Amino acid sequence: IVGAYFAAIKKYSMLEDNIGKLLLRSDVCYAGAGYCLSLACFNSEESINYLKQYLNYYLKKKDLFFDQADAMSAIAYLDNKNNTDILNSYIQLWTKFVKNKPYWDLNSSIKRFNKSMNKIEKLRYGADS
């Protein structure tokens, strides 16, 4: 988790492939949020593809409560930054995924993710000075 945050702050995009693969594997509890932040910071075609691969697989696994909200939030953040509309293609899967999960609110997740991204930006510029 710490490594993912440092990769995000320092924009160590050379770790993008490792972080993307770790996200897809979902081996470590709570690490996915950091992986999604890092991938959003990298904002490359490859990082977006990792997020999409994650959503394509894990939104169909209704019994696996992992980092789907963080991946959706990362896509929403990148949509806003890149003027794209990738998130819309996952809304139907998201709706099915959260059908019996009353505490999973996408808007709240997106707000929380955006706050984290703002903190990363502040740390990045503070670390460079």
Side-chain angles (χ1 to χ4, degrees), residues 24 47-60 68-69 71-76 79 84-98 106:
L24 295 177
S47 63
I48 293 167
N49 283 334
Y50 277 117
L51 292 165
K52 288 165 56 175
Q53 286 177 58
Y54 182 87
L55 292 171
N56 286 332
Y57 181 78
Y58 285 102
L59 283 179
K60 295 174 185 170
Q68 292 90 332
M72 290 286 286
S73 298
I75 290 291
D79 273 350
T84 55
D85 191 27
I86 299 168
L87 184 69
N88 197 41
S89 64
Y90 289 99
I91 294 298
Q92 188 175 6
L93 281 173
W94 172 261
T95 302
K96 289 178 184 176
F97 175 76
V98 298
L106 185 56

Side-chain angles (χ1 to χ4, degrees), residues 2-129:
V2 173
Y5 279 92
F6 274 109
I9 293 165
K10 297 300 255 175
K11 263 196 163 176
Y12 289 153
S13 58
M14 72 286 263
L15 299 173
E16 181 177 48
D17 194 47
N18 291 350
I19 292 169
K21 288 178 182 176
L22 288 169
L23 175 66
L24 295 177
R25 287 176 40 179
S26 290
D27 289 341
V28 182
C29 293
Y30 307 111
Y35 300 152
C36 290
L37 280 169
S38 292
L39 293 171
C41 283
F42 301 150
N43 189 15
S44 71
E45 186 177 332
E46 186 174 3
S47 63
I48 293 167
N49 283 334
Y50 277 117
L51 292 165
K52 288 165 56 175
Q53 286 177 58
Y54 182 87
L55 292 171
N56 286 332
Y57 181 78
Y58 285 102
L59 283 179
K60 295 174 185 170
K61 303 294 181 187
K62 294 177 186 170
D63 57 328
L64 300 179
F65 294 56
F66 291 161
D67 302 295
Q68 292 90 332
D70 291 304
M72 290 286 286
S73 298
I75 290 291
Y77 174 85
L78 292 170
D79 273 350
N80 187 50
K81 189 169 186 126
N82 300 327
N83 197 28
T84 55
D85 191 27
I86 299 168
L87 184 69
N88 197 41
S89 64
Y90 289 99
I91 294 298
Q92 188 175 6
L93 281 173
W94 172 261
T95 302
K96 289 178 184 176
F97 175 76
V98 298
K99 187 174 184 178
N100 295 317
K101 297 173 184 73
Y103 301 108
W104 284 62
D105 178 60
L106 185 56
N107 290 326
S108 296
S109 296
I110 290 170
K111 286 179 186 176
R112 186 175 57 250
F113 188 88
N114 287 339
K115 284 182 183 179
S116 295
M117 289 298 291
N118 289 334
K119 289 177 184 176
I120 293 290
E121 289 292 322
K122 287 180 183 177
L123 287 169
R124 179 180 300 135
Y125 294 119
D128 288 341
S129 55

